[in-house]
Amino acid sequence: MKKTIQIPLGSQHISLLEPIRFKFECENEKIIGVDADVGFVHRGVELACTRSFEFKQVGYVVARVCGLCAITHSLSYTLAVEKLLGYVANDRIKYLRMLMVELDRIHSHMLCLAHTAENAGFEALFMQIMGDRELIMDVQEAISGNRVQFDYISIGGVNRDLTPELVAMIHKNLGVLTSKIDALIGLFDNNWSLSLKYKGVGVLRLEDAYTYNALGPLARAAGLATDVRAETSDFPYEDIGYKMILESSGDIHARNFLRLREIVNSITMCQNIVNNLPVGEIQEKAKGKPNGEAVVRVEAPRGELFYLVRGSGQNMLDRVRIKTPTFSAIPAMIEVFKGAEYADAPAILASFDPCMSCTAK
Amino acid sequence: MKFFTPFRKKSPWVLHYNAGSCNGCDIEILASLAPKYDLERFGVINTGNPKQSDIFLVTGPVTYRSRERLVELYSQIPEPKVVVAVGSCTATGGVFRGMYNVEDGIDRYIPVDVYVPGCAASPQLIIDALVKGLEVLEAKSKEIEKPFKLFGAIETIHNKLSRLNMATKVEPHAKD
């Protein structure tokens, strides 16, 4: 007789924001095998970028790959095209781009924390974090004009400038958020019922993180020092106070804690950017058509985002290849699920912060 | 039916399904449930169970693999029900219109009552759409509503309409 039972999770489930299907092979309560199906939201963006849209429009199309990290998608694409055009942005443009990316990272991490809390059964904490997150959403709306899909970055610059009122608002909201995050750090560290759900659950060991190519917060929570912000020199991250943040235990608690500490670091970076904003134009002419091949890596909230853009001197590109962090991290995720209790599966899944729209494109 | 109408109006339950959206509208739906916009003050609860839902919030242009699930979820929701299409791409396909794996809007598959524009639709608009949807819900009757494509027959068993076969899998239509 067969000793295991199969339990599906998804494709539509209350704990999932987006369709993904897991087939858990369970022995009593323990998960011993996992099968993941991620292709429900495949739309065909990569092909459309080379067939239906000109290279100047593609930056706004790839932003629609993912609503959470839209800014990193348009940023990586824009960087790749600017490399092909031989254009180097001035410092003010770089700083404004970094500001939006870090704000996006804060709100994405907070959404993940809220979601993890909800899936661990802590509904009130979900509401609290989502309420605090609105501080960042307000800042983003004031800077770019839209809450989520802000088409802020364009080839040759950014679309809007900071005004003194905006700077005051950023300082005010970030100041309020800092105290709230401090309170959350205490809560996540000391709350007894949260520690039951998080500590020692869903552990990814360092050697597994290395073997299965974990990325972003998932890898850094296991102690693997990988961060594109430290590895590339497209942006002056060292100047604005970037610190690599590492945890060692690799469980859900470590991932949550890492995200909280990254939020604190990102808030510091945003404040430094706003205080030390260089003078210059926000939009410059980037002339020509992309010719050749360029590869760009940018640290998205979930890890390394990889873009390859190839053009042959025409309006239409030849190839746009997008490799997203969740796609690369799936083997590591599957490894974490093995040996866990089935009841913990939604919380573990939320702590990965998976983005299926990115993965399936 | 008459007895339940006031309760439904006071406390509509919402089923949310992502049929291929970019997550932008989904996080705005979450944000509209959260404290600042607070849909829950209208009695709205996000439920994962189609059989307990009154309002079907759909985001995203329908992708090839999500359309069967969309139709199945729709046919499992008991009448009266309201479908709200959140976001530009849900209404018309938006930026994804014409991509090879996309069906250009959910109204090819299921009847839509309220369309919400915007990429991404803002929480204020989503709240407006739900309030509008409640008006539509009040005017609706118990009559069975059918999806346009991909559903099985509705039969009469013992003089009662049965939709047991409604969600059975039928041959997919060719892309038109």
Side-chain angles (χ1 to χ4, degrees):
Chain A
M1 204 182 89
K2 207 176 164 197
K3 286 246 178 77
T4 60
I5 45 167
Q6 274 196 350
I7 308 180
L9 180 81
S11 61
Q12 186 266 338
H13 190 270
I14 179 75
S15 75
L16 301 175
L17 263 179
E18 44 201 336
I20 175 172
R21 186 174 59 203
F22 286 103
K23 266 190 212 151
F24 292 116
E25 193 86 32
C26 293
E27 201 175 63
N28 293 332
E29 287 284 305
K30 282 263 180 293
I31 299 170
I32 55 170
V34 191
D35 191 12
D37 184 351
V38 294
F40 288 99
V41 286
H42 175 63
R43 286 149 291 178
V45 177
E46 283 182 358
L47 190 73
C49 288
T50 58
R51 298 276 170 83
S52 340
F53 299 99
E54 294 181 3
F55 81 94
K56 280 181 185 161
Q57 303 167 317
V58 170
Y60 305 121
V61 179
V62 290
R64 267 75 183 173
V65 167
C66 172
L68 279 166
C69 40
I71 193 85
T72 36
H73 278 275
S74 48
L75 175 65
S76 343
Y77 173 77
T78 310
L79 278 181
V81 169
E82 284 177 352
K83 269 187 187 172
L84 293 181
L85 298 180
Y87 165 82
V88 181
N90 66 28
D91 278 352
R92 188 179 181 87
I93 295 175
K94 279 185 183 171
Y95 270 57
L96 286 173
R97 286 175 175 177
M98 276 195 293
L99 173 68
M100 280 319 266
V101 170
E102 292 309 316
L103 285 175
D104 188 68
R105 193 184 316 280
I106 297 173
H107 101 79
S108 174
H109 278 357
M110 290 189 78
L111 186 85
C112 170
L113 289 167
H115 210 219
T116 322
E118 190 196 22
N119 284 359
F122 206 151
E123 183 87 24
L125 187 58
F126 165 77
M127 289 297 178
Q128 188 191 332
I129 302 176
M130 288 298 281
D132 298 345
R133 176 174 164 267
E134 291 296 329
L135 291 167
I136 294 296
M137 303 304 280
D138 287 347
V139 171
Q140 287 180 343
E141 190 174 13
I143 294 177
S144 68
N146 204 355
R147 283 165 53 91
V148 176
Q149 285 285 2
F150 28 80
D151 293 320
Y152 187 67
I153 294 174
S154 59
I155 296 171
V158 294
N159 290 337
R160 290 199 188 193
D161 204 354
L162 283 186
T163 58
E165 298 89 59
L166 275 177
V167 172
M169 180 192 181
I170 294 173
H171 275 303
K172 184 172 143 262
N173 279 18
L174 288 181
V176 177
L177 189 68
T178 311
S179 57
K180 302 227 175 198
I181 294 293
D182 285 342
L184 279 180
I185 286 180
L187 185 68
F188 270 91
D189 208 16
N190 300 325
N191 188 296
W192 182 68
S193 49
L194 276 182
S195 74
L196 285 182
K197 271 283 186 185
Y198 292 157
K199 282 185 182 161
V201 177
V203 179
L204 180 71
R205 285 171 302 145
L206 177 57
E207 52 266 38
D208 283 347
Y210 196 76
T211 318
Y212 293 103
N213 186 20
L215 292 170
L218 183 59
R220 291 198 286 276
L224 183 62
T226 162
D227 193 326
V228 182
R229 285 177 287 178
E231 291 159 11
T232 57
S233 55
D234 288 330
F235 289 105
Y237 268 111
E238 276 72 30
D239 300 349
I240 57 165
Y242 165 73
K243 279 201 309 266
M244 168 91 76
I245 289 162
L246 290 176
E247 292 279 334
S248 54
S249 56
D251 52 2
I252 301 183
H253 175 259
R255 268 169 242 146
N256 285 336
F257 217 65
L258 179 102
R259 288 204 172 90
L260 282 167
R261 287 173 60 199
E262 283 200 355
I263 290 173
V264 174
N265 188 216
S266 288
I267 290 175
T268 322
M269 279 197 266
C270 288
Q271 283 165 339
N272 287 343
I273 290 171
V274 174
N275 288 336
N276 308 315
L277 200 60
V279 188
E281 291 288 313
I282 59 156
Q283 184 69 259
E284 290 169 338
K285 271 264 182 297
K287 284 182 189 157
K289 305 264 169 69
N291 194 359
E293 193 174 271
V295 169
V296 162
R297 298 192 302 148
V298 168
E299 180 79 7
R302 288 159 191 77
E304 174 202 72
L305 179 64
F306 169 96
Y307 262 70
L308 178 144
V309 174
R310 194 192 303 143
S312 51
Q314 268 145 17
N315 261 335
M316 300 303 228
L317 293 166
D318 287 349
R319 181 83 169 102
V320 178
R321 168 81 178 113
I322 311 169
K323 191 170 108 338
T324 54
T326 314
F327 179 76
S328 315
I330 287 173
M333 292 180 186
I334 286 178
E335 191 57 28
V336 175
F337 273 123
K338 288 177 187 163
E341 302 262 320
Y342 177 74
D344 295 330
I348 296 176
L349 180 60
S351 78
F352 295 144
D353 202 7
C355 180
M356 287 310 125
S357 315
C358 275
T359 313
K361 298 183 280 283
Chain B
M1 168 62 206
K2 279 246 168 63
F3 180 72
F4 283 110
T5 312
F7 304 118
R8 230 175 246 126
K9 195 192 164 193
K10 289 282 181 201
S11 159
W13 283 20
V14 163
L15 176 71
H16 162 225
Y17 183 64
N18 177 339
S21 104
C22 72
N23 266 349
C25 297
D26 307 70
I27 56 176
E28 291 298 65
I29 288 174
L30 271 192
S32 62
L33 287 165
K36 189 178 177 192
Y37 296 99
D38 206 8
L39 260 178
E40 295 201 351
R41 73 198 137 119
F42 299 120
V44 172
I45 288 182
N46 187 13
T47 159
N49 189 349
K51 290 178 181 161
Q52 298 173 332
S53 317
D54 306 302
I55 297 183
F56 192 22
L57 282 179
V58 189
T59 57
V62 183
T63 59
Y64 250 41
R65 289 192 64 196
S66 62
R67 51 194 191 154
E68 284 158 12
R69 284 152 191 92
L70 177 80
V71 169
E72 187 158 335
L73 285 171
Y74 177 78
S75 25
Q76 283 183 13
I77 302 176
E79 276 82 10
K81 57 192 167 191
V82 167
V83 177
V84 180
V86 182
S88 312
C89 57
T90 322
T92 64
V95 73
F96 305 121
R97 196 175 177 89
M99 288 186 187
Y100 67 85
N101 213 31
V102 167
E103 292 278 357
D104 303 348
I106 63 166
D107 49 7
R108 292 186 171 202
Y109 283 89
I110 55 178
V112 179
D113 297 293
V114 186
Y115 294 93
V116 188
C119 182
S122 68
Q124 293 98 325
L125 277 176
I126 293 172
I127 293 172
D128 270 3
L130 279 183
V131 174
K132 181 87 188 161
L134 282 181
E135 284 172 26
V136 180
L137 187 73
E138 235 180 325
K140 279 199 171 179
S141 68
K142 265 289 199 198
E143 200 181 333
I144 288 185
E145 295 178 77
K146 295 180 201 163
F148 301 136
K149 287 180 183 174
L150 288 175
F151 70 98
I154 295 175
E155 292 171 353
T156 315
I157 302 171
H158 304 306
N159 293 327
K160 275 183 184 166
L161 281 180
S162 161
R163 41 184 179 176
L164 281 177
N165 293 326
M166 203 161 155
T168 49
K169 205 168 181 177
V170 291
E171 278 298 302
H173 298 246
K175 188 169 181 178
D176 45 343

